[in-house]
Amino acid sequence: MPNMSMQKTPMPAQAPEVRNKNFDEVTLGYTPEMAVLEAQRCLQCKHRPCMKGCPVAVRIPEFIAKVAQGDFLAAYEIITSTNALPAVCGRVCPQENQCERECVRGIKGESVAIGRLERFVADYFMEYGTAASKRAEPNGIKVAVIGAGPAGLSCAGDLARRGFEVTIYEAIHKAGGVLVYGIPEFRLPKAIVEREIDSLRALGVKIETDMVIGRALSLDELGEMGYKAVFVGSGAGLPRFMGIEGEGLLGVYSANEFLTRINLMKAYKDEYDTPIIRSKSVAVIGGGNVAMDAARCAMRLGAERVYIVYRRGEEEIPARLEEIHHAKEEGIEFRLLTAPTRLLGDDQGWVRGMECVKMRLGEPDASGRRSPVEIPGSQYEMEVDSVIMAIGTSPNPLIRTTTEGLQADRRGCLIVNEEMATTKPGVYAGGDAVTGAATVILAMGAGKKAAESIANLLLPSPGSGENPA
Ligand code: FAD
């Protein structure tokens, strides 16, 4: 029986005034009854428009049909045939710009809540499913993956499923990339990331942490160790600053540092020694997911006022809709069409305020968004005792500067062809290291594509009789 409700089945969440003081997950997920009800909103369109919006081509109508029948474990099998991290993607993908944007139900009402259903199925499996060992017959060919973020993990998983002997080299002490050091616990519980990584280990993927490639080992040394191909998924973890006066003051953070201290180094927990400044009035500069996460963390650390300062308007804010909505509910104040021009310090070298200028929207720029134009004479001061810069990141230069033959563009992003092959033979790359800061699912899609290219390179074509190992 189809459910013709125009609205998505609501998902329970912690009350805003409760959750803005804790780091527990904000949204609580569907019950099985809610999931079935929501799945019954899917019209099972023959032309499957939702799938076209998914960078890893999850078989969306098929998995939703299983949810509607109450066969949640079969739904999980369908999702994981193309997506290695469904509990993560169900929580953090910008569905409104991808699968849900294409959903026919979205024309006259709200689209089917595809993300919430994906999350439900993945969580249900973690609770009740048992992972069957899906180890492929080993082919004896070694491949190295650099970076254990979504790009590296998805590439490694796909290669392991094809029988390759895969080792991931990760610079920090934990696998997960931004999923563990950037996105906060209240949006993506770290236990869930660990469970998803464990399922990759179960496929035979080895993960070596505390290994900075370009320092501990070079790319060429990996070749000497017998790796027949390398995938570089080293992300874009180098923070950008605005280049304005006062950015060296105490109390000014990059969002990367602020979020790493909180999420990876657990500065919000009393039993951890990680230092963090607890401020009264915090300005976060930027309008993406990173800015929302930093602002909501600052609020949870006890700030009385937290501002998002963004130079364009509401329509141009790039963060996921749900994050903007949750941030507002939690009391974050939005200062839109506003740009900082100078940070002001006290005589001890601490930030005490920020000079801003008001903006208006002009003509669209290269990104297609209307560009911000300064309104002359509109300067004013905001009183803040912490400023967090969340205006973007670039790829870390370490790997490209220590590897001969690996070319990057002027933004420092590695250059790849359609097969995700870099300019150095046998070396592939994908994710934020290639695109600059983007999304989890795009990074995963790139990792998958590279895995396919590596398999095409290293596995003998059927009937050739060759053995490249
Ligand atoms: P990363 O996740 O950055 O992983 C790269 C890994 O490589 C890291 O673990 C790093 O330590 C490791 N590494 C780097 N250099 C080396 C080296 N030399 N040797 C060995 N290892 C190395 N996207 C969404 O879709 N939805 C969201 O809600 C969302 N929110 C975000 C919130 C924050 C705070 C941030 C920072 C990003 C967010 N993103 C979001 C973006 C998304 O997380 C990234 O696009 C995605 O993680 C990129 O994946 P990646 O594997 O390319 O890189």
Side-chain angles (χ1 to χ4, degrees):
M1 194 60 169
N3 167 1
M4 294 314 290
S5 165
M6 291 295 189
Q7 267 89 43
K8 290 178 178 176
T9 309
M11 178 162 59
Q14 285 193 67
E17 65 283 5
V18 174
R19 69 177 191 243
N20 68 6
K21 296 177 194 64
N22 70 52
F23 278 79
D24 298 338
E25 193 168 16
V26 166
T27 50
L28 305 174
Y30 279 160
T31 60
E33 294 73 26
M34 290 172 187
V36 170
L37 193 65
E38 182 59 21
Q40 287 167 345
R41 293 186 63 230
C42 175
L43 300 177
Q44 293 293 318
C45 307
K46 286 275 173 294
H47 62 305
R48 306 168 160 221
C50 49
M51 274 185 70
K52 292 189 199 105
C54 175
V56 298
V58 169
R59 288 146 51 205
I60 295 166
E62 276 177 71
F63 101 73
I64 293 184
K66 291 292 177 197
V67 176
Q69 292 159 15
D71 192 350
F72 308 134
L73 296 179
Y76 181 80
E77 288 300 313
I78 294 169
I79 298 175
T80 49
S81 68
T82 57
N83 183 351
L85 307 174
V88 171
C89 292
R91 285 171 167 83
V92 306
C93 268
Q95 288 98 3
E96 70 268 20
N97 297 324
Q98 297 178 340
C99 51
E100 294 185 13
R101 188 178 58 188
E102 309 299 329
C103 175
V104 169
R105 292 300 306 265
I107 298 170
K108 279 200 185 150
E110 286 184 348
S111 61
V112 174
I114 301 169
R116 293 177 187 177
L117 289 172
E118 183 180 37
R119 167 193 167 150
F120 165 78
V121 169
D123 289 359
Y124 184 91
F125 178 83
M126 283 191 194
E127 187 86 25
Y128 302 106
T130 33
S133 172
K134 290 183 192 154
R135 281 198 186 209
E137 194 60 37
N139 62 25
I141 308 172
K142 283 170 63 172
V143 178
V145 169
I146 302 174
L153 293 171
S154 97
C155 183
D158 274 26
L159 287 169
R161 277 187 209 97
R162 291 173 159 100
F164 288 93
E165 197 181 307
V166 188
T167 305
I168 304 182
Y169 291 97
E170 166 54 49
I172 64 171
H173 63 280
K174 259 201 159 89
V178 169
L179 308 181
V180 292
Y181 76 74
I183 304 182
E185 178 77 20
F186 57 80
R187 214 150 67 75
L188 181 61
K190 302 309 149 215
I192 283 169
V193 180
E194 268 168 36
R195 290 282 293 267
E196 300 224 301
I197 292 172
D198 282 347
S199 59
L200 286 179
R201 285 201 177 93
L203 292 173
V205 173
K206 283 189 221 131
I207 305 180
E208 299 237 8
T209 53
D210 300 309
M211 287 294 288
V212 182
I213 302 303
R215 285 274 182 273
L217 286 172
S218 69
L219 232 66
D220 290 329
E221 281 169 323
L222 290 174
E224 288 158 21
M225 289 161 69
Y227 291 106
K228 299 292 178 205
V230 177
F231 173 76
V232 182
S234 50
L238 191 68
R240 275 192 223 134
F241 283 86
M242 294 185 71
I244 57 175
E245 187 186 324
E247 281 181 315
L249 288 165
L250 296 166
V252 181
Y253 281 107
S254 71
N256 264 46
E257 181 188 343
F258 184 70
L259 290 169
T260 302
R261 283 174 185 270
I262 293 169
N263 301 313
L264 185 70
M265 313 302 288
K266 310 286 179 215
Y268 64 95
K269 290 191 172 176
D270 290 342
E271 61 272 30
Y272 282 74
D273 288 337
T274 311
I276 190 97
I277 301 169
R278 292 180 188 257
S279 310
K280 274 195 178 157
S281 186
V282 181
V284 179
I285 318 303
N289 290 320
V290 184
M292 300 302 145
D293 284 345
R296 296 170 73 195
C297 283
M299 179 65 93
R300 282 162 172 77
L301 286 181
E304 288 164 15
R305 301 193 78 166
V306 181
Y307 305 96
I308 286 282
V309 178
Y310 181 57
R311 63 194 182 130
R312 300 181 203 242
E314 177 101 37
E315 270 183 34
E316 289 78 22
I317 296 186
R320 292 177 78 223
L321 275 182
E322 189 180 52
E323 311 317 326
I324 300 167
H325 172 68
H326 281 158
K328 285 184 177 168
E329 278 187 343
E330 289 169 13
I332 310 291
E333 296 170 52
F334 282 60
R335 293 278 173 99
L336 302 177
L337 291 167
T338 303
T341 45
R342 196 157 66 102
L343 306 187
L344 313 165
D346 65 14
D347 50 9
Q348 304 290 309
W350 286 88
V351 66
R352 63 163 179 84
M354 186 165 80
E355 184 187 87
C356 295
V357 65
K358 291 195 176 155
M359 315 291 278
R360 63 176 177 79
L361 289 179
E363 294 303 310
D365 62 15
S367 72
R369 295 176 304 170
R370 293 180 66 193
S371 55
V373 182
E374 207 174 297
I375 301 176
S378 63
Q379 273 83 355
Y380 70 102
E381 279 185 22
M382 283 174 72
E383 207 180 299
V384 290
D385 56 358
S386 239
V387 175
I388 301 171
M389 292 291 173
I391 55 166
T393 52
S394 321
N396 187 304
L398 181 62
I399 291 181
R400 75 180 143 83
T401 53
T402 54
T403 311
E404 213 171 301
L406 202 57
Q407 283 176 17
D409 65 16
R410 59 184 176 77
R411 296 177 306 147
C413 299
L414 294 178
I415 294 171
V416 296
N417 65 14
E418 284 189 352
E419 269 75 53
M420 314 306 290
T422 66
T423 48
K424 189 174 171 72
V427 179
Y428 293 74
D432 285 5
V434 166
T435 55
T439 62
V440 170
I441 197 76
L442 285 174
M444 289 180 64
K448 277 183 93 62
K449 200 164 179 194
E452 194 177 338
S453 301
I454 292 171
N456 289 341
L457 174 81
L458 296 177
L459 290 179
S461 49
S464 71
E466 290 169 32
N467 178 6

